[in-house]
Amino acid sequence: MSRLSPRHPAQVIVLGFAAAILVGTALLLLPTSKAGPGSATVLEALFTATSAVCVTGLIVVDTPVYWTGGGQVVILGLIQVGGFGIMSFASLLGVLLARRMGLRSRISAAAETKSVGFGDVRKVLLGVLRITLVVESVTALVLAARFSLGYRHGFWQALWLGVFHAVSAFNNAGFALFSDSLIGYATDPWICLPVCAAVIIGGLGFPVLFELRRHFHYPARWHMTTKLVLSGTAVLLLIGTVFITAVEWSNPETLGALRPDERILAGFFQSTMTRTAGFNSVDFAQLNPVTLLAMDVLMFIGGGPAGTAGGLKITTFGVLFFILYTEISGGTAVNVFGKRLPRSVHRQAISIVLLAVGLVITATMILMLITDFGLDRVLFEVVSAFATVGLSTGITAGIPPAGQVVLILVMFAGRLGPVTLASALALRSRPLYYEYPKERPLIG
């Protein structure tokens, strides 16, 4: 085997995502993809393709105005493929067309979907497909009916709007076919709540959805991952809703102009969107800096693993929380829901956090050096890119080309995960044949 060929499953996944981005860039560079004369610039096409494949939602051009219907279809396809997973999608095509999978496909798909073993990969992929089709179809029908009956859109236009926003919501992408995202529908629960439901379901992660389908009435059988994701999602949604609504309650530029019930709806909507879906129903440029900082934290934590959400993942945050709790309480072993965590999980969680923090800080400092935007806006943009959220205070298009390249790299790293990237770059593992003697440094 050639030394240049990928060996580790993580390498295959990274190369697969890179290839999908390049294909998407090429398609968006076609003159038929751009509205008006000429074609998009390479940076515009690359940024949009990366944002779509990495299901982020940050944009440097106005999606409904700049891209033609064909370009929007390309973006939708990239969102669907990126949210499903590049290797998972390729393996699924192999299952559907050839009814079989090669060993490399099984290994890569298992790594991407976090399958327990190679034998159940085919079943997992078909399960992911069923869940995706059901959630997206139901959401699309509800949205299409509302666009048609409530806003007098024609049948095909309403259906297209419903399908696009349903796919974008379930995949936690945040791309919208309205120039102001969903600000025009901030007070409409028939638009906001279905979008929120799709975002939350997609953000739970497919392993959690599978277990809920099998053992919904038997919580005692739930895996630790399911318990962490469900409890963490509920707590973060509640905290985010209360905090955002309270801080922005009297802000006339955001929630202050709405009725009390509409303020709660908008607060819940924006709390949900920090689960890594970049729709907004208020003008983020007018948010209180404290709200932006709180959203930074919520976006950084992210959603569930092995799904369409980004961020550190709730499970990683949960593991760190219980490690901290154990240290403060004087415990010797980290126990979560009656089970003990292996020390390898401790190291993995700490490694992910340190790599993520390092990436966010580095990117933030670079952007602050080459732009005139303040820390709160730049940090919000970088965290949004890393956590593949797509929320923005409106500065993305105003960032110079070098800064947009930085955001492209941050989106790519955030979608694949710092650990995946690090392991993809390691061409071979180095076995340890000896250990050094232990010594304890002073801490604190």
Side-chain angles (χ1 to χ4, degrees):
M1 181 181 295
S2 171
R3 293 178 64 86
L4 296 178
S5 61
R7 300 178 182 181
H8 195 285
Q11 289 178 308
V12 179
I13 295 171
V14 170
L15 292 176
F17 269 85
I21 290 171
L22 292 178
V23 171
T25 301
L27 292 175
L28 291 176
L29 282 173
L30 297 175
T32 54
S33 294
K34 177 182 177 294
S39 58
T41 66
V42 173
L43 184 57
E44 290 169 344
L46 177 61
F47 193 99
T48 303
T50 304
S51 185
V53 172
C54 296
V55 291
T56 304
L58 287 176
I59 56 174
V60 291
V61 293
D62 192 353
T63 303
V65 175
Y66 192 83
W67 304 109
T68 62
Q72 294 169 12
V73 170
V74 170
I75 293 172
L76 186 66
L78 294 176
I79 290 171
Q80 187 70 82
V81 172
F84 197 94
I86 303 299
M87 301 314 301
S88 298
F89 184 79
S91 300
L92 178 65
L93 288 181
V95 170
L96 296 177
L97 297 178
R99 299 290 180 181
R100 62 186 179 84
M101 296 174 61
L103 178 60
R104 173 167 288 188
S105 296
R106 287 180 181 271
I107 294 174
S108 298
E112 196 169 52
T113 60
K114 301 294 189 295
S115 299
V116 176
F118 301 146
D120 65 343
V121 172
R122 184 176 181 274
K123 184 186 299 183
V124 167
L125 292 178
L126 293 175
V128 170
L129 178 63
R130 283 193 292 268
I131 292 174
T132 300
L133 292 178
V134 168
V135 176
E136 290 180 352
S137 297
V138 172
T139 306
L141 289 175
V142 175
L143 292 178
R146 183 57 177 168
F147 283 127
S148 176
L149 300 176
Y151 297 94
R152 303 301 180 184
H153 288 287
F155 174 80
W156 293 112
Q157 177 67 9
L159 184 61
W160 170 239
L161 290 174
V163 169
F164 189 96
H165 292 94
V167 172
S168 185
F170 177 73
N171 289 284
N172 281 220
F175 278 88
L177 293 182
F178 304 102
S179 298
D180 60 354
S181 191
L182 297 180
I183 291 179
Y185 306 94
T187 61
D188 189 345
W190 290 100
I191 297 294
C192 292
L193 293 182
V195 169
C196 285
V199 168
I200 292 171
I201 294 172
L204 291 178
F206 293 112
V208 173
L209 295 176
F210 291 152
E211 187 153 71
L212 290 178
R213 187 178 63 180
R214 290 194 306 265
H215 305 302
F216 182 78
H217 298 291
Y218 303 98
R221 299 182 183 180
W222 291 354
H223 190 272
M224 183 189 297
T225 298
T226 301
K227 296 178 180 178
L228 282 172
V229 171
L230 291 180
S231 58
T233 298
V235 170
L236 292 174
L237 281 175
L238 178 61
I239 291 176
T241 301
V242 172
F243 188 90
I244 294 170
T245 305
V247 174
E248 298 296 325
W249 187 269
S250 301
N251 185 345
E253 302 297 329
T254 55
L255 304 186
L258 306 177
R259 299 198 312 263
D261 59 319
E262 295 172 343
R263 297 179 196 181
I264 295 174
L265 173 63
F268 172 73
F269 184 85
Q270 293 309 155
S271 177
T272 303
M273 294 310 113
T274 60
R275 315 310 309 135
T276 79
F279 298 105
N280 62 285
S281 62
V282 297
D283 185 358
F284 270 53
Q286 305 301 326
L287 287 175
N288 189 304
V290 176
T291 304
L292 293 177
L293 183 59
M295 287 183 168
D296 287 337
V297 176
L298 294 172
M299 292 190 299
F300 193 68
I301 295 173
T308 60
L312 287 178
K313 302 297 188 295
I314 292 176
T315 45
T316 305
F317 178 77
V319 166
L320 292 176
F321 172 81
F322 282 103
I323 290 175
L324 177 63
Y325 175 79
T326 301
E327 289 296 322
I328 292 176
S329 62
T332 56
V334 180
N335 300 314
V336 182
F337 298 118
K339 300 291 181 64
R340 187 176 64 180
L341 284 179
R343 291 194 177 275
S344 59
V345 176
H346 303 189
R347 295 194 299 270
Q348 186 179 13
I350 294 172
S351 299
I352 290 175
V353 172
L354 291 178
L355 285 170
V357 170
L359 176 63
V360 168
I361 291 177
T362 301
T364 300
M365 289 192 297
I366 293 174
L367 290 185
M368 290 188 69
L369 287 174
I370 62 177
T371 69
D372 295 325
F373 300 114
L375 173 61
D376 54 348
R377 289 195 168 194
V378 171
L379 179 61
F380 189 87
E381 197 83 7
V382 172
V383 173
S384 180
F386 167 76
T388 67
V389 180
L391 294 173
S392 174
T393 58
I395 67 172
T396 314
I399 294 175
Q404 293 179 4
V405 172
V406 171
L407 290 179
I408 288 173
L409 296 175
V410 172
M411 287 190 287
F412 188 78
R415 178 68 178 99
L416 297 175
V419 170
T420 303
L421 278 175
S423 61
L425 296 175
L427 296 180
R428 63 170 65 93
S429 60
R430 295 183 296 176
L432 186 64
Y433 298 107
Y434 59 90
E435 291 185 353
Y436 290 105
K438 292 182 178 180
E439 185 173 349
R440 183 184 180 90
L442 297 176
I443 302 297

